[in-house]
Amino acid sequence: MSWQQKIEQSLQQRHAAVTYRTRQLNQGSTGRCLRIDNQSYINFSSNDYLGLSHDKSVIAAWRKGSRCYGVGSGGSGHITGYMQPHAELEQQLADWLAYPRALLFISGYAANQALLASLTAAGDRILADRLSHASLLEAAVNSAAQLRRFHHNQPDALQRLLDKPCDGQTLVITEGIFSMDGDSAPLSQLQAQTIAAGGWLLVDDAHGIGTRGEQGRGSCWQQKIKPELLVITFGKAFGLSGAAVLCQHEVAEYLLQFARHLIYSTAMPPAQACALQAALIRIQQGDDLRDRLQQRIKQFRHGAANLSLGLGRSDSAIQPLWVGDNQSALELVHNLRKRGLWLTAIRPPTVPLNTARLRITLSAAHQASDIDDLLEALNAIDR
Ligand SMILES: *Cc1c(COP(=O)(O)O)cnc(C)c1O
């Protein structure tokens, strides 16, 4: 088969399975709303849970940072790309979450790839919740270690895997709040099991950081655990992008030696590190934003409880509505968009077969009337 034939065949298969993906040009976003095809919508598809992507203090910090440091870091952190704003931000993150060290990464995807590639070796095993993010599962598949997945949020299933013998090291992986279902992991239970088995725990708290726990410290703080490896990302509640790994001093030094995503990649722009510092302050002082988000979540769940579409068990900003087949999910999305509501259908292979869903994300940027509009539309379509 030629390159051309191979590519065309893959595209046709995607079309046939109704899983073909396209991007939509967003002509202007305010956090709460977006514009597509010259049409304005309320945005229920954004991970900007606290509305910080448009926060004045964060924008001002980015401006000031770019005036002081320019817009690019100019190189890998190992060469000349590690500057004062990066160092300050790492220290602030470590202090905030009570870890000895924090290391910045350009994205959560890169952080997860780097961690698994550099830490695990042949003979080790990775035991991951089967709904873990693609950046974790892919990295685990590509690693030299053996990957075993356990049933979502089921400590018993993890225990059965832990009970099997392993000569190498064990790394247990879960998320704080799961990105597609919005539910939380039983972290203290998972941590106790992992410790008892002599393994390490990695928690990816992309969706919990900023939204959960005292001062927004996330799922682990809320559930009173401190995993050996905590990954936080800045593309969600922080309203920016990038990520950090929180860990022990020696682990940070190890990653600086062996994590190729750090060594061979340009460090994040220093102005972005300045903006992240401002976002961190807003998050630490953000009880008002977290309260608003919780109100929206309560309002939505109360109003959606009687829909025939299944409401998930989530109490987070991520609220899935189960649909089942791909075609119905797409039709539902189409209907909602006609009413000025922007939602996304999540389909396999992102989620398991026949679990297509609407993934509704709520934000402190939403007004109560936005949630009313959404509920009214869902009820009208449901009938
Ligand atoms: C979004 C997300 C990532 C990826 O983070 P980026 O910074 O967007 O690359 C990783 N893990 C989880 C659980 C996520 O939700």
Side-chain angles (χ1 to χ4, degrees):
M1 213 190 298
S2 71
W3 273 108
Q4 201 65 32
Q5 287 166 331
K6 187 177 126 149
I7 288 165
E8 275 167 16
Q9 191 188 55
S10 302
L11 292 178
Q12 274 160 13
Q13 282 168 356
R14 276 289 166 100
H15 269 303
V18 202
T19 54
Y20 197 84
R21 296 163 193 253
T22 55
R23 296 179 304 174
Q24 219 88 36
L25 183 69
N26 182 354
Q27 297 163 315
S29 156
T30 64
R32 174 184 160 234
C33 296
L34 48 67
R35 269 187 93 72
I36 286 170
D37 285 339
N38 298 316
Q39 197 74 39
S40 184
Y41 298 88
I42 302 170
N43 186 357
F44 289 106
S45 288
S46 158
N47 296 323
D48 184 14
Y49 302 132
L50 300 179
L52 292 187
S53 70
H54 285 70
D55 185 90
K56 285 194 181 66
S57 67
V58 178
I59 293 172
W62 191 306
R63 284 220 176 94
K64 185 162 177 243
S66 62
R67 277 199 301 276
C68 294
Y69 300 97
V71 288
S73 67
S76 152
H78 285 64
I79 310 294
T80 55
Y82 184 61
M83 302 183 196
Q84 194 64 26
H86 301 104
E88 284 169 8
L89 176 59
E90 286 183 343
Q91 190 60 53
Q92 289 159 4
L93 292 168
D95 292 346
W96 178 45
L97 297 170
Y99 274 82
R101 291 285 290 274
L103 281 187
L104 295 179
F105 284 80
I106 203 70
S107 71
Y109 198 97
N112 286 337
Q113 302 277 319
L115 277 179
L116 298 200
S118 62
L119 285 170
T120 64
D124 296 340
R125 61 179 175 181
I126 298 170
L127 309 180
D129 186 293
R130 60 163 58 254
L131 295 192
S132 297
H133 193 260
S135 56
L136 291 161
L137 292 179
E138 258 170 41
V141 167
N142 291 335
S143 77
Q146 180 190 48
L147 168 66
R148 289 281 177 271
R149 298 162 218 237
F150 58 92
H151 278 287
H152 175 52
N153 278 350
Q154 289 187 18
D156 291 351
L158 170 62
Q159 194 56 49
R160 282 194 290 277
L161 297 178
L162 286 172
D163 287 344
K164 297 195 171 126
C166 170
D167 292 334
Q169 304 304 314
T170 297
L171 183 65
V172 174
I173 295 182
T174 188
E175 294 184 23
I177 295 176
F178 282 83
S179 50
M180 291 301 144
D181 292 39
D183 54 348
S184 302
L187 291 175
S188 55
Q189 168 94 43
L190 297 179
Q191 187 188 43
Q193 290 173 278
T194 305
I195 290 173
W200 273 15
L201 178 65
L202 184 166
V203 177
D204 178 344
D205 202 24
H207 301 279
I209 199 73
T211 66
R212 282 281 163 89
E214 198 192 340
Q215 279 191 35
R217 290 185 181 103
S219 307
C220 293
W221 191 276
Q222 188 188 37
Q223 295 196 40
K224 301 188 167 57
I225 70 150
K226 207 190 261 186
E228 285 79 8
L229 302 164
L230 170 60
V231 176
I232 63 172
T233 71
F234 306 132
K236 278 97 190 197
F238 272 76
L240 286 129
S241 73
V245 172
L246 285 295
C247 57
Q248 296 296 318
H249 180 71
E250 292 75 14
V251 178
E253 290 302 309
Y254 179 91
L255 292 172
L256 285 171
Q257 314 311 312
F258 300 109
R260 306 171 74 79
H261 296 72
L262 284 179
I263 302 166
Y264 297 109
S265 187
T266 303
M268 79 168 51
Q272 183 177 338
C274 294
L276 284 166
Q277 290 182 32
L280 174 58
I281 291 173
R282 193 65 193 87
I283 281 176
Q284 288 168 329
Q285 302 172 352
D287 284 344
D288 56 332
L289 297 176
R290 283 183 286 278
D291 286 348
R292 259 174 78 99
L293 176 60
Q294 280 310 319
Q295 283 167 24
R296 302 294 174 264
I297 294 168
K298 269 210 197 92
Q299 184 189 353
F300 175 77
R301 290 190 63 81
H302 180 73
N306 295 324
L307 292 172
S308 67
L309 296 168
L311 188 61
R313 279 198 299 178
S314 156
D315 61 353
S316 71
I318 303 163
Q319 292 290 330
L321 280 178
W322 310 97
V323 182
D325 71 287
N326 292 352
Q327 196 55 45
S328 316
L330 289 178
E331 279 165 21
L332 206 55
V333 162
H334 182 69
N335 269 323
L336 290 164
R337 287 183 184 174
K338 278 199 297 202
R339 293 162 191 261
L341 306 166
W342 194 265
L343 287 92
T344 311
I346 307 284
R347 292 167 284 162
T350 304
V351 292
L353 215 58
N354 297 319
T355 68
R357 68 198 68 176
L358 297 187
R359 181 173 180 272
I360 297 167
T361 49
L362 304 174
S363 169
H366 287 136
Q367 294 172 4
S369 61
D370 299 338
I371 313 294
D372 285 337
D373 289 350
L374 173 62
L375 289 168
E376 207 171 292
L378 285 169
N379 274 298
I381 293 168
D382 208 41
R383 261 181 239 126

